[in-house]
Amino acid sequence: MSVFAMYVRQDEFRSNVSESLLGATCDTPLLESFALWIGGPGEDADDEELDGAALDLFGGKAPPRLAKLAIGGWKLSWDSPAFGNLTSLRVASPNRCGSQCFVDALSRMSSLEELFLTRCVPLNFGLDHEDIAMTIDFPRLSTLSFDDHMSLCTALLRRVRFHCLAHLVVIAESCEREGNEEYAYAALFDVCRSHLELYFFTYPACHLAVESTLYSMQAAALSMSDERTGQLEDVLLLSIALEGPMHGRALVDAELLAWSFNVIPGREVRSLQCRLPHHHQLHPRFWTQTVSAAFPRLEGLFVDEKTLRGVMGALVQETPAAGRIAQIQMQEDGVYVSPQELSFPNLRHLIAPMTAPLPPIYTAVLNHRQISGLPIWLTRPMQ
């Protein structure tokens, strides 16, 4: 057998089954992929640990061909030799251990290319009084995904080193609700940027897509991997999921979006796809200052209809007073406005799913851009 995958309820996972699957009598010379997920009580136990001792995979032996391992819902022994040659590891709670044990285990996994951790970072990880031998080096890791408290996510990212990280997924639950949440968000985005700078220096991002709700945000960037063929390669997935109360400020606001923009160098970003919650109201300055400054070479904006109103509101501010628009449009020679005086000086396309006729003020603003020597079109996406 080369591939094994099983999902079983905890009350059905008898000791004799665990012995035959994981015990000393388990002979697995051909095993390449192993997945065992145990559901029921304890599967979503948050920070609680299951009762009983940790199970040692394969009776303390390492299957010679094992490359992919996925486990969840049961406790494993982090010092198992089965981790030695893995290229892909997926571990879910309840599997928190001591900080040094956690670091030692990850440090032995030098062949990892994919790592998925769900509530596995030690709760005291990253504390000042923790005397842990760092840093964890991942020479081949290209995909990292973990789901945990924001402070633990930030602490782990600060103590690891990558050489070819291209995909990063962080699902961070915010526990900093007593006044220091801005610092926590900024720290998380800052450490994400530090790890991705090298990759984007080699492959500058040309397209950024941001989709957010009131409590979560996802951002994906595309990079030009081959200038001769123009082929795009997905090089980053940065996902931040935040949990919080209904009252107070929205978790995903202009400031948080601005931090996310800073993760990706904007010098080569040519198009931005942005979808915001329908109840989101971003001040026009967010578009004229934050977005325009983050992506100075932006040529295309792909937005939902609600977001389009904010973008157009920003462009209206650049346009002469409404009473002068008609007069400007009637001038044969047009009116020239320096691109340096406008936001999005390179913008050529606005694409939005308009469900109603174009408002007159939108038409006036677009015409004003055109007679200013900056052609811009509002286009509906293909259905």
Side-chain angles (χ1 to χ4, degrees):
M1 183 183 296
S2 61
V3 178
F4 178 89
M6 174 181 286
Y7 176 89
V8 60
R9 288 185 54 82
Q10 183 183 3
D11 54 6
E12 297 173 347
F13 191 66
R14 309 301 184 201
S15 60
N16 58 337
V17 178
S18 63
E19 284 296 323
S20 61
L21 287 175
L22 309 173
T25 59
C26 184
D27 189 16
T28 56
L30 303 179
L31 190 63
E32 298 177 2
S33 177
F34 181 88
L36 176 61
W37 296 84
I38 302 177
E43 181 184 24
D44 299 316
D46 195 16
D47 298 324
E48 299 293 333
E49 291 285 2
L50 288 178
D51 295 333
L55 296 175
D56 192 359
L57 291 171
F58 315 110
K61 299 178 296 183
R65 297 188 179 184
L66 185 64
K68 297 182 179 182
L69 179 64
I71 53 179
W74 55 283
K75 291 173 62 177
L76 80 157
S77 175
W78 280 94
D79 59 359
S80 171
F83 291 127
N85 299 318
L86 294 179
T87 59
S88 176
L89 175 63
R90 186 184 299 266
V91 182
S93 60
N95 273 298
R96 299 194 193 272
C97 62
S99 295
Q100 190 63 61
C101 174
F102 183 73
V103 170
D104 291 343
L106 292 181
S107 299
R108 292 194 301 268
M109 305 180 197
S110 59
S111 299
L112 276 183
E113 299 174 4
E114 298 178 330
L115 178 60
F116 304 86
L117 298 175
T118 302
R119 294 190 176 276
C120 294
V121 182
L123 293 176
N124 57 355
F125 194 82
L127 298 180
D128 293 337
H129 64 269
E130 280 292 305
D131 185 16
I132 311 172
M134 292 296 184
T135 302
I136 309 171
D137 188 72
F138 291 112
R140 301 176 58 184
L141 195 70
S142 62
T143 299
L144 174 63
S145 173
F146 53 98
D147 179 343
D148 223 311
H149 302 306
M150 186 184 301
S151 58
L152 298 180
C153 295
T154 305
L156 178 61
L157 282 173
R158 282 175 172 167
R159 303 198 178 195
V160 293
R161 183 171 57 189
F162 309 100
H163 298 265
C164 55
L165 181 66
H167 302 259
L168 178 62
V169 180
V170 182
I171 303 176
E173 177 185 349
S174 175
C175 293
E176 294 81 6
R177 311 307 303 175
E178 285 81 30
N180 60 344
E181 56 186 14
E182 287 80 7
Y183 170 78
Y185 298 155
L188 177 60
F189 281 109
D190 183 66
V191 71
C192 288
R193 181 178 64 251
S194 66
H195 286 302
L196 294 166
E197 279 179 343
L198 178 62
Y199 199 99
F200 282 122
F201 179 80
T202 306
Y203 303 106
C206 64
H207 175 76
L208 173 64
V210 177
E211 183 172 353
S212 71
T213 65
L214 184 63
Y215 300 105
S216 66
M217 177 177 58
Q218 293 184 344
L222 295 178
S223 175
M224 191 71 71
S225 59
D226 191 336
E227 294 183 356
R228 293 170 300 176
T229 63
Q231 181 181 1
L232 293 178
E233 180 182 357
D234 184 2
V235 297
L236 166 73
L237 173 60
L238 173 63
S239 174
I240 305 296
L242 306 169
E243 299 178 4
M246 294 296 294
H247 57 82
R249 78 179 185 106
L251 292 180
V252 180
D253 57 8
E255 187 175 20
L256 194 63
L257 289 171
W259 282 330
S260 71
F261 294 159
N262 290 331
V263 173
I264 303 168
R267 62 184 181 276
E268 295 295 335
V269 174
R270 303 300 180 90
S271 59
L272 171 64
Q273 183 174 343
C274 192
R275 297 185 62 184
L276 302 176
H278 288 299
H279 47 268
H280 241 101
Q281 293 292 342
L282 296 177
H283 195 278
R285 283 196 301 270
F286 173 77
W287 301 101
T288 58
Q289 297 179 10
T290 303
V291 178
S292 184
F295 311 112
R297 303 182 67 178
L298 200 64
E299 298 178 0
L301 269 175
F302 303 76
V303 296
D304 56 79
E305 188 171 358
K306 180 79 172 184
T307 307
L308 175 66
R309 297 171 187 169
V311 175
M312 295 304 298
L315 297 181
V316 166
Q317 292 187 350
E318 303 171 346
T319 308
R324 297 175 53 199
I325 289 178
Q327 179 181 355
I328 291 176
Q329 292 175 339
M330 292 173 59
Q331 295 179 0
E332 294 182 0
D333 296 334
V335 176
Y336 177 78
V337 179
S338 171
Q340 286 74 24
E341 298 176 4
L342 294 175
S343 301
F344 312 117
N346 300 308
L347 192 62
R348 297 295 181 268
H349 300 280
L350 266 175
I351 299 180
M354 295 294 296
T355 58
L358 193 66
I361 187 63
Y362 288 11
T363 303
V365 171
L366 298 180
N367 289 341
H368 176 65
R369 296 277 296 209
Q370 292 180 5
I371 63 177
S372 300
L374 297 169
I376 183 173
W377 293 272
L378 178 61
T379 308
R380 297 185 184 186
M382 290 188 299
Q383 298 299 324

